[in-house]
Amino acid sequence: MDSSSSSPNNNNNHHASTTKTNGFLIHPKLGFEPARSRSRLAMASPANTSEPKIVTGTAGYILEDVPHFTDYIPNLPTYPNPLQDNPAYSVVKQYFVHVDDSVPQKVVVHKDGARGVHFRRAGPRQKVYFEADEVQAAIVTCGGLCPGLNTVIRELVCGLHHMYGVKKVLGINGGYRGFYARNTITLTPKSVNDIHKRGGTVLGTSRGGHDTKKIVDSIQDRGINQVYIIGGDGTQKGASAIFEEVRKRGLKVSVVGIPKTIDNDIPVIDKSFGFDTAVEEAQRAINAAHVEAESVENGIGVVKLMGRNSGFIAMYATLASRDVDCCLIPESPFYLEGPGGLYEYIEKRLKENGHMVIVIAEGAGQELVSESVQSMSKQDASGNKLFQDVGLWISQKIRDHFAAQKTLPITLKYIDPTYMIRAIPSNASDNVYCTLLAQSAVHGAMAGYTGYTSGLVNGRQTYIPFYRITERQNHVVITDRMWARLLSSTNQPSFLDAKGDNEEKEEEEALNQLPDGHCAKDTSLASKEINSSIYPTAC
C-alpha cells in the first residue's frame, strides 16, 4: 500500500467497498481479516465505550481506524463531494484520497519486521454524508491558551464555507460549559477574517465544566451535527466521552478533535500547533537572560518555561539558543548538593565562563520543592496537579547557597515569560500547520468520520482514534539521541548516578531492539493486544 497514492477515479466511500464482520472491516483488495484479539480489546476498553476498529492485513499490517456513521446508523444517503466542481481545486490532480491510503506510525522498520501500525490518511473523499444546507457546525476551545487557536478557528470556518458551502457555524463561548450556558457566537468568513493576527481565542476558554449529557443535550437542541473541539489531552478525553454519548443515542453528529498543547505532550502526532511559536518566543527570554548574565561578574540567568510533565519546549529552546549552560526538565531528575550536583556544576561554569544561563521547565524538580506533598495533592478545574513555582524556588536556593558559601558572590536574574509566550499569535510555520489541521478535520467530518483527532504523523495528515490520543502523555526520552545532543550542547551533567543511568539505558534498549522478526516498541493498547495474539514474533 502506497500511502501517497491518490486517484479521483476511485470511489472513496470505504464503506461501499468493504464488508463488516463482527464490527471489523474486511477489505477484499487487501485481504484484511478481523482481529482475533477483539474480545481482549473489548475487555481492556472503558465501560460503555465502542470497541477500537482494528483492520489487519498481510505482513503484519495493522490499521487503527476511526469510527464512521455507517458503523451505527444504517442506510445513510451519500452525496458527490462539492470540491469536484470547485474552481479552486479544478487544477489539482488526484485530489481525492484513495480508499486504501494510510500512514505508518513508524517509518523506521526492519526489512523482515512487521509493517506495523497505520492510521487513516486525512483528506477529502469523493462521497460526503452531508449536504451543505443541512450542516450546523459548532467550534469550541478549551484549556489554556496557545499560539494558533484563532488560526484554527478561522480555517475551520473558512474551510467549511469555501470548500463545502456550509453557512451555519456557531462558536461556543467559554469552553465546554458554554454548551449548556447558551453562549454562542455566529461565525462567518468575514467575522473571522483577521483573527489569526491576534493571540488567544476569540471564543474564550475555560477549564473543566464538562457535563457530557448536558453537552449532548445542547447539541441535539441546537441541531448541531458537526462539533470541532480544540484542546489538550483532557479536552480530547471529554471529546471522546461526547462521541460515545452521541453514538449511544444514534445521532448523526461528527465529533472531531484538534489537539492543542503548548507543551507538545500529546502522543502519536509529530508535534502540536503553537509549539514552534513557543520555542521561537522562548529564545527571546533566553537571550535576555544571557545578556543580563554576561553583563555582570558571576551573573546567572534563570528562565522558567512551560512543561508541566514534558520538557520539549525547554529542550528545543535550549538547542536552538546555544546560550544555555543547563537545562532541567521533568523527565530528568536532578539534585542540588554534593558531587555532580547542580551547585557544583554552577560553581564550575562560573569559574570557567564568568556567567551562566539555566533553563528550567515548570514541572522539573517538583519533588524537591518545599511543601511539595501539599502542593501535589491540589488540582485545578481540569484535574491537573497544581505545581509550585520551581523557577522562584530554585533561584532562591541558588542565592542562599552561594550567600552561605561566601566564596563566590553571584548576581542572579530570574525571567518567567510563560504567559507572554502563550498569548502571542502563531508564526508562519504554525499558521500553515493550523490550516492543514483544520481543513483535514473538515474533510473527515464531511466524509462521515467521527470520534477522531486530526493530527500530523510522519509528515502526513491523519485521522487518529481518540483512545490513542488520550492513552498516555508524550515525554522526552532521556536515553534518546535528542537529549544526548542537548547534553553535548550544554556540557551539563546528566545528574543521574551510574546505577540509575545504566538501568534506564538497559530498559530502553530492551524495548527498542529490532532483531529479526521483531518490531519497535509501540505502547498503544490495540497494537499490544494484537501483536501478542496474532503475531507472536512481534515485540
Side-chain angles (χ1 to χ4, degrees):
M1 178 182 296
D2 182 359
S3 65
S4 63
S5 65
S6 304
S7 172
N9 300 319
N10 289 296
N11 186 343
N12 290 281
N13 175 7
H14 78 279
H15 300 277
S17 58
T18 58
T19 57
K20 292 174 65 177
T21 301
N22 294 329
F24 290 87
L25 303 181
I26 303 176
H27 199 288
K29 181 176 177 182
L30 297 177
F32 293 158
E33 297 292 340
R36 282 178 285 180
S37 59
R38 178 178 184 269
S39 60
R40 294 174 64 187
L41 286 168
M43 289 172 63
S45 300
N48 300 320
T49 60
S50 56
E51 298 171 6
K53 287 176 62 177
I54 308 299
V55 182
T56 63
T58 58
Y61 174 92
I62 300 168
L63 172 65
E64 296 199 30
D65 207 354
V66 296
H68 193 273
F69 286 154
T70 54
D71 295 340
Y72 62 93
I73 305 176
N75 305 319
L76 282 176
T78 60
Y79 313 95
N81 194 320
L83 282 175
Q84 65 188 15
D85 301 317
N86 190 319
Y89 295 93
S90 61
V91 297
V92 180
K93 294 181 180 179
Q94 298 182 341
Y95 187 70
F96 294 111
V97 173
H98 192 279
V99 63
D100 291 340
D101 278 3
S102 66
V103 178
Q105 181 176 359
K106 293 184 181 295
V107 292
V108 179
V109 297
H110 196 278
K111 67 176 183 177
D112 298 321
R115 293 174 66 187
V117 174
H118 291 61
F119 300 106
R120 187 165 293 281
R121 186 183 175 191
R125 271 59 179 172
Q126 282 190 324
K127 298 292 183 182
V128 296
Y129 282 76
F130 292 100
E131 289 188 296
D133 292 342
E134 73 171 297
V135 174
Q136 174 89 304
I139 304 170
V140 63
T141 55
C142 305
L145 295 182
C146 176
L149 282 169
N150 280 334
T151 306
V152 174
I153 295 168
R154 182 190 189 278
E155 295 310 316
L156 285 171
V157 174
C158 292
L160 284 163
H161 187 276
H162 297 311
M163 293 190 298
Y164 290 98
V166 173
K167 302 295 193 297
K168 294 175 285 187
V169 184
L170 289 176
I172 306 298
N173 197 8
Y176 275 136
R177 60 171 56 96
F179 275 103
Y180 43 88
R182 297 289 177 183
N183 298 328
T184 62
I185 304 170
T186 300
L187 300 174
T188 65
K190 183 176 181 180
S191 69
V192 301
N193 186 54
D194 294 324
I195 64 174
H196 63 292
K197 299 175 183 177
R198 290 182 266 160
T201 165
V202 295
L203 298 180
T205 184
S206 64
R207 295 190 183 276
H210 189 276
D211 188 319
T212 304
K213 290 188 187 251
K214 283 186 178 181
I215 290 172
V216 178
D217 287 344
S218 175
I219 288 170
Q220 280 190 273
D221 293 344
R222 298 174 195 266
I224 294 169
N225 48 26
Q226 290 184 12
V227 185
Y228 298 93
I229 301 171
I230 310 167
D233 54 350
T235 301
Q236 300 302 311
K237 288 176 183 176
S240 179
I242 291 170
F243 159 69
E244 295 296 345
E245 182 65 20
V246 164
R247 181 191 61 83
K248 182 179 174 183
R249 299 187 190 188
L251 304 178
K252 185 187 173 185
V253 177
S254 278
V255 181
V256 183
I258 298 176
K260 176 234 62 164
T261 168
I262 202 168
D263 294 346
N264 202 40
D265 59 0
I266 289 180
V268 181
I269 62 175
D270 293 353
K271 64 177 180 178
S272 53
F273 73 83
F275 178 71
D276 283 353
T277 306
V279 170
E280 185 176 306
E281 189 67 14
Q283 284 186 83
R284 301 179 191 273
I286 293 172
N287 183 61
H290 182 251
V291 170
E292 288 283 353
E294 69 175 355
S295 299
V296 296
E297 184 180 4
N298 296 325
I300 301 175
V302 177
V303 180
K304 186 186 80 171
L305 297 176
M306 289 82 70
R308 294 177 54 82
N309 300 296
S310 303
F312 287 102
I313 290 179
M315 180 174 73
Y316 276 84
T318 294
L319 282 168
S321 169
R322 303 290 175 178
D323 286 331
V324 179
D325 299 283
C326 185
C327 177
L328 305 172
I329 62 173
E331 296 89 340
S332 181
F334 65 94
Y335 55 97
L336 301 176
E337 315 241 359
L342 183 61
Y343 293 151
E344 181 183 81
Y345 176 61
I346 292 173
E347 186 170 345
K348 176 186 173 186
R349 294 300 287 171
L350 290 178
K351 288 178 178 177
E352 290 174 349
N353 294 341
H355 66 273
M356 77 174 298
V357 174
I358 300 171
V359 167
I360 185 165
E362 62 182 316
Q366 285 296 318
E367 69 281 0
L368 302 177
V369 181
S370 59
E371 299 180 356
S372 61
V373 175
Q374 290 85 343
S375 65
M376 295 287 276
S377 64
K378 297 178 182 177
Q379 296 180 335
D380 63 16
S382 296
N384 299 315
K385 293 178 181 177
L386 290 176
F387 289 169
Q388 295 237 5
D389 191 330
V390 72
L392 283 174
W393 174 82
I394 202 167
S395 297
Q396 192 58 49
K397 294 291 284 186
I398 293 170
R399 287 191 186 102
D400 293 344
H401 172 79
F402 285 98
Q405 293 290 322
K406 298 181 181 179
T407 56
L408 196 65
I410 66 165
T411 301
L412 186 146
K413 304 293 184 182
Y414 171 58
I415 298 175
D416 181 357
T418 302
Y419 293 105
M420 294 175 65
I421 293 173
R422 287 160 130 24
I424 64 172
S426 54
N427 63 12
S429 171
D430 275 323
N431 271 336
V432 173
Y433 185 27
C434 290
T435 300
L436 297 177
L437 286 171
Q439 291 190 0
S440 296
V442 168
H443 290 317
M446 293 299 295
Y449 293 107
T450 180
Y452 68 89
T453 292
S454 172
L456 194 72
V457 177
N458 290 322
R460 294 282 187 178
Q461 293 294 326
T462 64
Y463 300 140
I464 306 165
F466 278 139
Y467 67 85
R468 287 302 311 272
I469 293 294
T470 60
E471 67 186 357
R472 63 180 179 86
Q473 284 188 317
N474 196 26
H475 295 289
V476 173
V477 179
I478 60 172
T479 52
D480 190 34
R481 289 188 184 91
M482 189 59 75
W483 185 245
R485 293 182 183 110
L486 181 139
L487 296 179
S488 175
S489 171
T490 62
N491 290 317
Q492 71 187 68
S494 66
F495 298 111
L496 291 173
D497 58 47
K499 181 182 176 183
D501 197 16
N502 289 335
E503 285 177 351
E504 283 209 33
K505 285 183 178 178
E506 289 171 6
E507 181 182 357
E508 189 68 26
E509 286 170 2
L511 287 169
N512 282 323
Q513 269 185 329
L514 284 171
D516 289 349
H518 286 65
C519 66
K521 175 185 67 172
D522 193 307
T523 57
S524 73
L525 166 65
S527 62
K528 279 191 281 190
E529 295 291 347
I530 290 174
N531 286 339
S532 62
S533 59
I534 299 180
Y535 308 109
T537 58
C539 59

